[in-house]
Amino acid sequence: MGLDDRKLAVLRAIVEDYVATQEPVGSRALVERHQLGVSPATVRNDMAVLEEEGYIRQPHTSAGRVPTDRGYRLFVDRLSRVKPLSPAERRAIERFLVGAVDLDDVVHRTVRLLAQLTRQVAVVQYPSLARSSVRHLELVPISTTRLMLVMIADTGRVEQRLVELPTPVPAADVTDLRRLVNEKLVGSRLSDTPPLVQALVEESATHLRGAMTTLSTVLLETLVERTEERLALAGTANLTRGGLLDFQGSLRPILEALEEEVVLLKLIGEAEPSTTRVLIGDENEVDNLRAASVVSTGYGPGSTIVGGMGVLGPTRMDYPGTIATVRAVARYVGELLAQN
Amino acid sequence: MGLDDRKLAVLRAIVEDYVATQEPVGSRALVERHQLGVSPATVRNDMAVLEEEGYIRQPHTSAGRVPTDRGYRLFVDRLSRVKPLSPAERRAIERFLVGAVDLDDVVHRTVRLLAQLTRQVAVVQYPSLARSSVRHLELVPISTTRLMLVMIADTGRVEQRLVELPTPVPAADVTDLRRLVNEKLVGSRLSDTPPLVQALVEESATHLRGAMTTLSTVLLETLVERTEERLALAGTANLTRGGLLDFQGSLRPILEALEEEVVLLKLIGEAEPSTTRVLIGDENEVDNLRAASVVSTGYGPGSTIVGGMGVLGPTRMDYPGTIATVRAVARYVGELLAQN
DNA sequence: CTCTGGCACTCGACTGTAGCGAGTGCCAGT
DNA sequence: ACTGGCACTCGCTACAGTCGAGTGCCAGAG
């Protein structure tokens, strides 16, 4: 298993060439395009070892070598050199995001930007409600037995729900309800609200009790239980780049997975510290995505994290470039959010 | 021109068989599977005429016939028999839509339902703002120079925008502003608001003038100019059914078109009367969709129309079934909206 | 012990040929 | 006007042969 420096260099060269050409790379081509300082025969010996260790494999007996998921993993962990963004890319990021007018706008622009820069499928999670605080609650009467509840979070998210009241409630009572819920809940984290909502019911005057009970149910449902996470998606057309070579010829499973919000959230939503996470092929827990890789990271104002974003592409992807781009976009969006 | 009844029957049989089998259909197979009462040779003569008239064509000299766009058009207009929904489908529609909790929920469920029932790509337009009336406007102070404007429309849509005020505005003034805009705008159609908004500025007290000017700009932008139409999409994975035969082997252009909201809106958004619209292949004005057909219709509470919905699939699609499904779903969603 | 050049070998990609069969167009006969 | 028959077309599949990229291995040099 002793992988000396040269073997690592060979692996790196293989990954880089394969990513660039999309064709199995042979020993001769390798020594020609990289300064390895040795002959093809030597490289072949190294390749044999790398193959034995499971870092590369041969599609057919007489073909060149192709990295395995394990090979990509080693490459990402130890071999890739950071690729600084080009000035053009930096400019693109700024130009694209400047002028965003509300949260929806920011998210949409971001996801399109990511898709465009990485030429991959991009996913952006809206700031998670669980990580937001209540900024304001509004009750708008629709009829005497119906209210529209609107919640505005500090992350800019706005959620609404229809509330069916058990009995008609006069306008004055609605005003009271509004005041009460705002007094009690504004400023608190959504994940901390359940006891507060509970108290709200107990403390309210008897004539409001009925309405408040219904309201609290809806509040809990909307804000906590049905953890209403939202996503934006862009760049699915990029899946068709590279002909049918990637994804073993069938986009079916990928497209199916992309329709499952739950799956996507799992992929990009696990906002760990501020690191960028890379999932390569098999490391992925979703069966449909065994042929894909995901690069994701958290984002948020300052050093906090309110949501995740990432891109999905073939395992054969430009990891250094993608990682750099995802990271840069996330940082920039974070700054943008911090301004609010 | 001279298309007697039998020739039409032949065309209908060709369309039905081709849609079912996805293979060019020959004269022998035709007489076997349909009671045409004549021999294959006769059918061949009819086919020759149909081909001359441009309703069918031969992929290769020695292959069977395939309908052309023109053939499908004739089929849809004059030959297809309405296909009533199966009880199972009716039940699916009800079960799927019951329990929707807000507009977002309704739209998402609808689009998934459509995709599932038709096994095609489904698109649903949110109720258009242009066809909505203002139910309530809310101003939430974020800081002394920032307001969050929330507009609630009678169609259930909720839009928000951040408003940057030129100078700090005290809370009392915000209350005044809120009262003013609500008094003036609630109940009016969004498309009719520009003069009202204008008047709003002119009539407001001097100390509110500055803030109101900014506010009115944002109002106009949000509600009228930037006709903020929203869409939901589902079922893209269905594009991969039928192998690579449909869409001449490349999903690329289709996926690209599906990412362009403007394009989709044009396709399904033109809410004509309550008829169902069918666009077949070439009839489509979007180049990328020349290999696709779109079945769309408007929907809305009662007999009004507030938005469009539809499905997109290969020209080789089950038109009668798709039309029936789209129509039924639209009607059901309309009823649902009418309840609010 | 490591690297190198040489050589036999493997096997996929491509080419050309041949046979099959579905399907057609046409024509003469009813 | 319809039908049966027949020659013809042409895509599809199978098969054989060639080519060449790339490998593994080995003996020899440094």
Side-chain angles (χ1 to χ4, degrees), chain A residues 128-129 132-136 151-159 190, chain B residues 142 148:
Chain A
S128 163
L129 283 185
S132 305
S133 308
V134 179
R135 175 171 277 157
H136 182 77
M151 198 251 343
I152 303 176
D154 61 348
T155 45
R157 278 192 64 176
V158 177
E159 291 294 313
L190 286 183
Chain B
I142 304 290
M148 168 88 76

Side-chain angles (χ1 to χ4, degrees), chain B residues 40 75 119 125 147 158 171 190 197 208 213 218 224 272 274-275:
Chain B
F75 174 81
R119 318 219 351 125
Q125 177 193 12
L147 295 179
V158 177
L190 286 183
V197 171
L208 296 178
T213 308
V218 174
V224 188
E272 291 159 29
S274 68
T275 46

Side-chain angles (χ1 to χ4, degrees), chain A residues 102 230 235-236 240 252 259, chain B residues 160 230 235-236 240 252 259:
Chain A
D102 67 3
R230 295 190 59 193
T236 43
T240 59
R252 190 68 178 279
E259 296 227 335
Chain B
Q160 70 269 17
R230 295 191 59 194
T236 43
T240 59
R252 192 65 178 280
E259 296 228 335

Side-chain angles (χ1 to χ4, degrees), chain B residues 166-245:
Chain B
T167 55
V169 172
D173 286 3
V174 173
T175 310
D176 286 345
L177 286 170
R178 180 184 304 126
R179 190 175 35 76
L180 285 171
V181 293
N182 274 294
E183 275 172 8
K184 200 75 177 188
L185 299 179
V186 165
S188 53
R189 295 228 133 204
L190 286 183
S191 43
D192 301 339
T193 50
L196 296 176
V197 171
Q198 194 54 41
L200 212 44
V201 177
E202 287 158 14
E203 294 170 12
S204 52
T206 34
H207 69 289
L208 296 178
R209 190 64 65 90
M212 189 60 99
T213 308
T214 318
L215 190 53
S216 70
T217 312
V218 174
L219 272 169
L220 287 178
E221 265 180 43
T222 311
L223 312 185
V224 188
E225 290 171 22
R226 169 170 155 250
T227 326
E228 171 81 45
E229 300 295 357
R230 295 191 59 194
L231 287 176
L233 191 69
T236 43
N238 287 331
L239 290 174
T240 59
R241 292 191 314 126
L244 299 175
L245 294 164

